[in-house]
Amino acid sequence: DAMLQGSRIRPSLAFLRGGKSQLMSTANGGSEDFDFDYLVIGAGSGGIASARRAATYGAKVGVVEKARLGGTCVNVGCVPKKVMWNAASIAEILHDMHHYGFQSPEDAIAFDWSFIKKNRDKYVERLNGIYDRNLLNSGVTKFIGTASLGNDPNSVVIDEHEGDKKTIKAKHILIATGGYPVFPEGEGIKEN
C-alpha cells in the first residue's frame, strides 16, 4: 500500500482501551515517532506488572527506576518486615516454651543479629534479581535513574546515576511511583 510506504507498523496498546490488539501506522498522518509505546516510571510491584503485561500485548516497553527493583514493599517494607516478624515470633515462642513442657539449659539458645540481617538482605536481593530477570524475559527495557517529565509532550528525561541525562519519547506514560498516606484532620486520628 502506497500510504504505508516508509512508515513503521507497530501494535496499538489496545489493552489501555479494553479492545483487541490492532495494528496502527506512524505514517505522516500526524503521528510521531516514539522510542517506546509504553514507559513506566517506577518499578515497584504495580509498575513492573503493568510493564510486563503491556509487553505481552506486543508493546515496546521501558521502565525507569531510581533504586532497586521491587519498590517499597520488597526492599524496605513488607518483605523485610515479615522476615523480622518471623524472627521475633520464634523468639517469643522460645521464651514461652517452658509453659509447654520444653526445657533448655540456661543460655543454651542464642540469637545472632548479624546472621538474620545478612540473610534478610540476601532474600531481598534474590527478589530484586527475580524482578530483573522477569523484565528481561518479558522484553522490557530497564533504565536506572530518576525520571522527570520533559518539556515536550510524551517526553521523559532520565537522569542516570552517573550524571548522564537522556530524553526518550513514549506514546503512553504511567507514573507508578507509589504514595504516602494522608491523614485527615481530627482528634486521635494520627495516634490511632
Side-chain angles (χ1 to χ4, degrees), residues 68-69 73-76 79-80 83 118-131:
R68 297 175 292 173
L69 299 177
C73 180
V74 168
N75 292 295
V76 296
V79 172
V83 170
K118 182 176 82 174
N119 283 290
R120 176 198 67 193
D121 294 346
K122 282 185 357 187
Y123 181 61
V124 169
E125 288 174 19
R126 182 176 151 263
L127 295 176
N128 297 144
I130 290 169
Y131 276 123

Side-chain angles (χ1 to χ4, degrees), residues 53-105:
R53 175 60 58 97
T56 67
Y57 285 95
K60 183 177 179 186
V61 181
V63 65
V64 184
E65 175 56 52
K66 69 177 180 179
R68 297 175 292 173
L69 299 177
T72 298
C73 180
V74 168
N75 292 295
V76 296
C78 315
V79 172
K81 182 240 356 166
K82 287 177 184 171
V83 170
M84 301 311 284
W85 174 265
N86 287 339
S89 295
I90 292 168
E92 186 67 21
I93 289 168
L94 292 172
H95 179 265
D96 290 342
M97 71 180 183
H98 67 278
H99 294 296
Y100 297 94
F102 293 93
Q103 301 295 319
S104 71

Side-chain angles (χ1 to χ4, degrees), residues 14-74:
F15 69 95
L16 294 172
R17 297 187 314 273
K20 292 185 177 180
S21 183
Q22 305 168 347
L23 293 179
M24 59 183 231
S25 171
T26 58
N28 297 332
S31 297
E32 298 181 48
D33 273 338
F34 297 100
D35 300 304
F36 292 95
D37 297 311
Y38 189 53
L39 182 71
V40 179
I41 301 172
S45 56
I48 288 174
S50 180
R52 292 184 66 213
R53 175 60 58 97
T56 67
Y57 285 95
K60 183 177 179 186
V61 181
V63 65
V64 184
E65 175 56 52
K66 69 177 180 179
R68 297 175 292 173
L69 299 177
T72 298
C73 180
V74 168

Side-chain angles (χ1 to χ4, degrees), residues 94-164:
L94 292 172
H95 179 265
D96 290 342
M97 71 180 183
H98 67 278
H99 294 296
Y100 297 94
F102 293 93
Q103 301 295 319
S104 71
E106 287 292 318
D107 298 326
I109 298 172
F111 177 71
D112 183 348
W113 177 260
S114 62
F115 178 87
I116 190 68
K117 184 188 178 314
K118 182 176 82 174
N119 283 290
R120 176 198 67 193
D121 294 346
K122 282 185 357 187
Y123 181 61
V124 169
E125 288 174 19
R126 182 176 151 263
L127 295 176
N128 297 144
I130 290 169
Y131 276 123
D132 198 29
R133 282 187 300 282
N134 285 344
L135 286 176
L136 181 67
N137 291 338
S138 297
V140 175
T141 302
K142 177 183 73 174
F143 298 95
I144 299 297
T146 303
S148 57
L149 298 178
N151 292 329
D152 298 326
N154 300 80
S155 69
V156 173
V157 178
I158 302 171
D159 186 357
E160 297 176 311
H161 294 300
E162 299 88 36
D164 296 331

